[in-house]
Amino acid sequence: MVGFPSILEGIKDLDKGHILQLLERAEDLKSGSPARLPLQKSLAVATSFLEHSTRTKHSFAMAIKRLGGFHIDFQAENSSLKKGESLEQTLLTLKYQGIDICIIRTQQSHLLEEFKGHPPIKIINGGDGSNQHPTQALLDLYTFCDDFGGIKKLEGKKITIVGDCRHSRVTHSLIDLLPMFGIELALCGPDEFMPQEIAPGIKRIVDIDTAIQESDALYLLRIQSERHNSTHADILNDYHTHWGINFDKFRKHKKALPIYHPGPANIGVEVHEEIMDSEIWKAHKQVENSVYMRMAIIEAMINNEDHHIGHANKKVTGDICEGKSQHDI
Ligand code: NCD
């Protein structure tokens, strides 16, 4: 895919053309199309999850395997990062060992920004703090296409994200992605969980009843307590009553909506178990589709050869070069 970035840090690294091609390719792969990768060697990926993960980590592992590649699980705790080696040198080491792409999840927002001008290796962001989670947003868009009958049908659809939007990297990526395709995005939840500034064009809905009435789909979030500065005990205690989704709330409006969730879901908090046992619960489909979207992303990144990857190879000039061969230096 022409011009596909060597570092996928956030949705803004992609243009609409890239995204449309990813959607098409994910669908092809789901229909059984074989991987399109260079044949000289098998795909080698390092996964480095410096924060807990079930879905993202294993979905990448499945995607790599289905592309005919293999992955090495890089354990930061047991690595030379603990001996003071920089992340850049660590990534360069992986590159020279033959790793093609490194998938990184970290608690630190914006950690990957420093590599943007001179990528030590191809990198996919598997979620950085509360900043971005681009592959989740892309697989969500793919799932919406699946459920609503294609990308064109999404134009004008109203999707409301309910919950802890402020601390959610998934929300930040969805805010960048969904309006590009005409989706009318709204945020709903307690004031404390709303972003300090809401991007232009994104609506704020103040209560769950209005969200149910006005939306075509709801996207629920887990409360991201690990990123909170204060406990928010008052909100958490009766969260389900005010913001949680159950069939009683739908009955009131004589309406049920498809419910999406990036997982992990906390039963009895943002969602009642009865919803998760029903056909309106779309989270399993998101998980299933995640493998194909991540296959498409890896394939696109591998196929876009970038000759600037690796060490900057700065020229050594001046006194230290005089009278010495390259090998002496
Ligand atoms: C999310 C994450 O880790 O950002 N989950 C995921 O990747 N599927 C959401 C969350 O942790 O709440």
Coordinates of all heavy atoms in Angstrom, one line a residue, residues 49 51-57 105 126-129 132-133 135-136 139 167-170 219 221-224 226-227 261-265 270 287 294, ligand 1:
F49 N 4.4 -6.1 25.2 CA 3.3 -5.6 26.0 C 3.7 -5.3 27.4 O 3.9 -6.1 28.2 CB 2.1 -6.6 25.9 CG 1.4 -6.5 24.6 CD1 1.9 -6.9 23.4 CD2 0.1 -5.9 24.6 CE1 1.2 -6.8 22.2 CE2 -0.6 -5.8 23.4 CZ 0.0 -6.2 22.2
E51 N 2.1 -3.6 29.4 CA 0.9 -3.4 30.2 C 0.0 -4.6 29.8 O 0.1 -5.1 28.8 CB 0.2 -2.1 29.7 CG -0.7 -1.5 30.6 CD -1.6 -0.5 29.9 OE1 -2.7 -0.9 29.4 OE2 -1.3 0.7 29.9
H52 N -0.9 -4.9 30.8 CA -1.8 -6.1 30.6 C -2.6 -6.1 29.3 O -3.0 -5.1 28.8 CB -2.7 -6.2 31.8 CG -2.1 -6.2 33.1 ND1 -1.1 -7.1 33.4 CD2 -2.2 -5.4 34.2 CE1 -0.7 -6.9 34.6 NE2 -1.3 -5.9 35.1
S53 N -2.8 -7.3 28.8 CA -3.6 -7.4 27.6 C -4.0 -8.9 27.4 O -3.2 -9.8 27.6 CB -2.8 -7.0 26.4 OG -3.5 -7.2 25.2
T54 N -5.2 -9.0 26.9 CA -5.7 -10.4 26.5 C -6.0 -10.3 25.0 O -5.4 -11.0 24.2 CB -7.0 -10.8 27.2 OG1 -6.7 -10.9 28.6 CG2 -7.5 -12.2 26.8
R55 N -6.9 -9.4 24.7 CA -7.4 -9.3 23.3 C -6.4 -8.9 22.3 O -6.1 -9.6 21.3 CB -8.6 -8.4 23.2 CG -9.9 -9.0 23.8 CD -10.9 -7.9 24.2 NE -11.9 -8.5 25.0 CZ -11.7 -8.8 26.3 NH1 -10.6 -8.5 26.9 NH2 -12.6 -9.4 27.0
T56 N -5.8 -7.7 22.5 CA -4.9 -7.1 21.6 C -3.7 -8.1 21.3 O -3.3 -8.4 20.2 CB -4.4 -5.7 22.0 OG1 -5.6 -5.0 22.3 CG2 -3.6 -5.0 21.0
K57 N -3.1 -8.5 22.4 CA -1.9 -9.4 22.3 C -2.1 -10.7 21.5 O -1.4 -11.0 20.6 CB -1.4 -9.7 23.7 CG -0.1 -10.4 23.8 CD 0.5 -10.5 25.2 CE 1.7 -11.4 25.2 NZ 2.3 -11.4 26.5
R105 N 2.8 -2.0 23.5 CA 1.8 -1.5 24.4 C 2.5 -0.9 25.6 O 3.4 -1.6 26.2 CB 0.8 -2.5 24.8 CG -0.1 -2.0 25.9 CD -1.3 -2.9 26.2 NE -2.3 -2.8 25.2 CZ -3.5 -3.2 25.3 NH1 -3.9 -3.8 26.4 NH2 -4.4 -3.0 24.3
G126 N 0.2 -0.7 20.1 CA -0.9 -1.5 20.7 C -1.6 -0.9 21.8 O -2.3 -1.6 22.6
G127 N -1.5 0.5 21.9 CA -2.2 1.2 23.0 C -1.1 1.9 23.9 O -0.3 1.2 24.5
D128 N -1.1 3.2 23.9 CA -0.1 4.0 24.7 C -0.9 4.8 25.7 O -1.5 5.9 25.3 CB 0.9 4.8 23.9 CG 0.2 5.9 23.0 OD1 -0.9 5.6 22.5 OD2 0.8 7.0 23.0
G129 N -0.8 4.4 27.0 CA -1.5 5.2 28.0 C -2.9 5.5 27.6 O -3.7 4.7 27.2
Q132 N -3.6 6.8 22.4 CA -4.2 6.2 21.1 C -4.2 4.7 21.1 O -3.3 4.1 21.8 CB -3.3 6.7 19.9 CG -3.6 8.1 19.5 CD -4.8 8.3 18.6 OE1 -5.1 7.5 17.7 NE2 -5.6 9.3 18.9
H133 N -5.1 4.1 20.4 CA -5.2 2.6 20.2 C -5.7 2.4 18.8 O -6.8 2.0 18.6 CB -6.1 2.0 21.3 CG -6.0 0.6 21.4 ND1 -5.3 -0.2 20.5 CD2 -6.5 -0.3 22.4 CE1 -5.4 -1.5 20.9 NE2 -6.1 -1.6 22.0
T135 N -5.3 0.4 16.2 CA -5.8 -0.9 15.6 C -7.1 -1.2 16.2 O -7.9 -1.9 15.5 CB -4.7 -2.0 15.8 OG1 -4.6 -2.3 17.2 CG2 -3.4 -1.7 15.2
Q136 N -7.4 -0.9 17.4 CA -8.7 -1.1 18.0 C -9.8 -0.3 17.2 O -10.8 -0.9 16.8 CB -8.8 -0.8 19.5 CG -10.1 -1.0 20.2 CD -10.5 -2.5 20.3 OE1 -9.7 -3.3 20.6 NE2 -11.8 -2.8 19.9
L139 N -10.4 -1.8 13.8 CA -11.2 -3.1 13.8 C -12.7 -2.8 14.2 O -13.6 -3.5 13.7 CB -10.6 -4.1 14.7 CG -10.6 -4.0 16.2 CD1 -11.9 -4.7 16.8 CD2 -9.4 -4.6 16.8
H167 N -10.3 9.0 29.9 CA -9.0 8.2 30.1 C -8.9 7.1 29.1 O -8.0 6.2 29.2 CB -9.1 7.6 31.5 CG -9.2 8.6 32.6 ND1 -10.4 8.9 33.1 CD2 -8.3 9.5 33.1 CE1 -10.3 9.9 34.0 NE2 -9.0 10.2 34.0
S168 N -9.8 7.0 28.1 CA -9.8 5.9 27.1 C -9.1 6.2 25.8 O -9.5 7.1 25.0 CB -11.2 5.6 26.8 OG -11.3 4.9 25.6
R169 N -8.0 5.5 25.6 CA -7.2 5.7 24.3 C -8.1 5.2 23.1 O -7.9 5.7 22.0 CB -5.9 4.9 24.4 CG -6.1 3.4 24.8 CD -4.8 2.8 25.1 NE -4.9 1.5 25.7 CZ -4.0 0.9 26.5 NH1 -3.0 1.7 26.9 NH2 -4.1 -0.3 26.9
V170 N -9.0 4.3 23.4 CA -9.8 3.8 22.3 C -10.7 5.0 21.8 O -10.9 5.2 20.6 CB -10.7 2.6 22.7 CG1 -11.6 2.2 21.6 CG2 -9.9 1.4 23.2
Y219 N -21.4 2.3 22.2 CA -20.1 1.8 22.4 C -19.7 2.0 23.8 O -19.4 3.1 24.3 CB -19.1 2.5 21.5 CG -17.7 1.9 21.3 CD1 -17.4 1.1 20.2 CD2 -16.8 2.0 22.3 CE1 -16.1 0.5 20.1 CE2 -15.5 1.4 22.2 CZ -15.2 0.6 21.1 OH -14.0 0.0 21.0
L221 N -17.6 1.5 27.5 CA -16.2 1.5 28.0 C -16.1 1.0 29.4 O -17.0 1.3 30.2 CB -15.6 2.9 27.9 CG -15.5 3.6 26.6 CD1 -15.1 5.1 26.8 CD2 -14.5 2.9 25.7
R222 N -15.0 0.3 29.7 CA -14.7 0.0 31.0 C -14.2 1.3 31.7 O -13.7 2.2 31.1 CB -13.5 -1.0 31.0 CG -12.9 -1.5 32.3 CD -11.8 -2.4 32.0 NE -10.6 -1.7 31.3 CZ -9.7 -1.1 32.0 NH1 -9.7 -1.1 33.3 NH2 -8.7 -0.5 31.4
I223 N -14.5 1.3 33.1 CA -13.9 2.5 33.8 C -12.4 2.3 34.0 O -12.0 1.2 34.5 CB -14.7 2.6 35.2 CG1 -16.1 2.9 34.9 CG2 -14.0 3.7 36.0 CD1 -17.0 2.7 36.1
Q224 N -11.6 3.2 33.5 CA -10.2 3.0 33.5 C -9.5 3.4 34.8 O -8.7 4.4 34.8 CB -9.6 3.8 32.3 CG -10.4 3.8 31.0 CD -10.0 2.8 30.0 OE1 -8.9 2.7 29.6 NE2 -11.0 1.9 29.7
E226 N -7.2 2.5 36.6 CA -5.8 2.6 36.8 C -5.2 3.9 36.2 O -4.0 4.2 36.5 CB -5.1 1.4 36.0 CG -5.1 1.4 34.5 CD -6.4 0.9 33.9 OE1 -7.5 0.9 34.5 OE2 -6.4 0.6 32.7
R227 N -6.0 4.7 35.6 CA -5.5 6.0 35.0 C -6.1 7.2 35.8 O -6.0 8.3 35.4 CB -5.8 6.1 33.5 CG -5.2 5.0 32.8 CD -5.0 5.3 31.3 NE -4.5 4.1 30.7 CZ -5.2 3.3 30.0 NH1 -6.4 3.6 29.7 NH2 -4.7 2.2 29.6
H261 N -18.1 -3.0 22.5 CA -17.3 -2.9 23.7 C -15.9 -3.4 23.3 O -15.7 -4.5 22.7 CB -17.8 -3.7 24.9 CG -17.3 -3.3 26.2 ND1 -15.9 -3.2 26.5 CD2 -17.9 -3.0 27.4 CE1 -15.8 -2.8 27.7 NE2 -17.0 -2.7 28.3
P262 N -14.8 -2.6 23.6 CA -13.5 -3.1 23.2 C -13.0 -4.2 24.1 O -12.0 -4.9 23.8 CB -12.6 -1.8 23.4 CG -13.3 -1.0 24.4 CD -14.7 -1.3 24.2
G263 N -13.7 -4.4 25.3 CA -13.2 -5.3 26.3 C -12.0 -4.8 27.0 O -11.3 -3.9 26.5
P264 N -11.7 -5.3 28.2 CA -12.5 -6.2 28.9 C -13.7 -5.5 29.6 O -13.6 -4.3 29.9 CB -11.5 -6.7 30.1 CG -10.6 -5.5 30.2 CD -10.4 -4.9 28.8
A265 N -14.9 -6.2 29.6 CA -16.1 -5.6 30.2 C -16.2 -6.0 31.7 O -15.9 -7.1 32.0 CB -17.3 -6.1 29.4
E270 N -20.7 -1.4 33.6 CA -21.2 -0.7 32.4 C -22.2 -1.6 31.6 O -22.9 -1.0 30.8 CB -20.0 -0.3 31.5 CG -19.2 -1.4 30.8 CD -18.1 -2.0 31.6 OE1 -18.1 -1.8 32.9 OE2 -17.1 -2.6 31.1
V287 N -13.9 -9.0 18.4 CA -12.7 -9.8 18.7 C -12.4 -10.7 17.4 O -11.3 -10.7 17.0 CB -12.9 -10.7 19.9 CG1 -11.8 -11.7 20.0 CG2 -13.0 -9.9 21.2
R294 N -6.0 -6.8 11.9 CA -4.5 -6.7 12.2 C -3.7 -7.4 11.2 O -2.5 -6.9 10.9 CB -4.3 -7.2 13.6 CG -4.9 -6.2 14.6 CD -4.7 -6.6 16.1 NE -5.1 -5.5 16.9 CZ -6.0 -5.5 17.9 NH1 -6.6 -6.6 18.2 NH2 -6.3 -4.4 18.6
Ligands
NCD1 C1 -8.8 -1.6 25.7 C2 -7.4 -1.1 26.0 O1 -6.5 -1.9 26.5 O2 -7.1 0.0 25.7 N1 -8.9 -2.9 25.4 C3 -8.4 -3.5 24.3 O3 -7.3 -3.2 23.8 N2 -9.2 -4.4 23.7 C4 -9.8 -1.0 26.6 C5 -9.6 -1.1 28.1 O4 -8.6 -1.5 28.6 O5 -10.6 -0.7 28.7

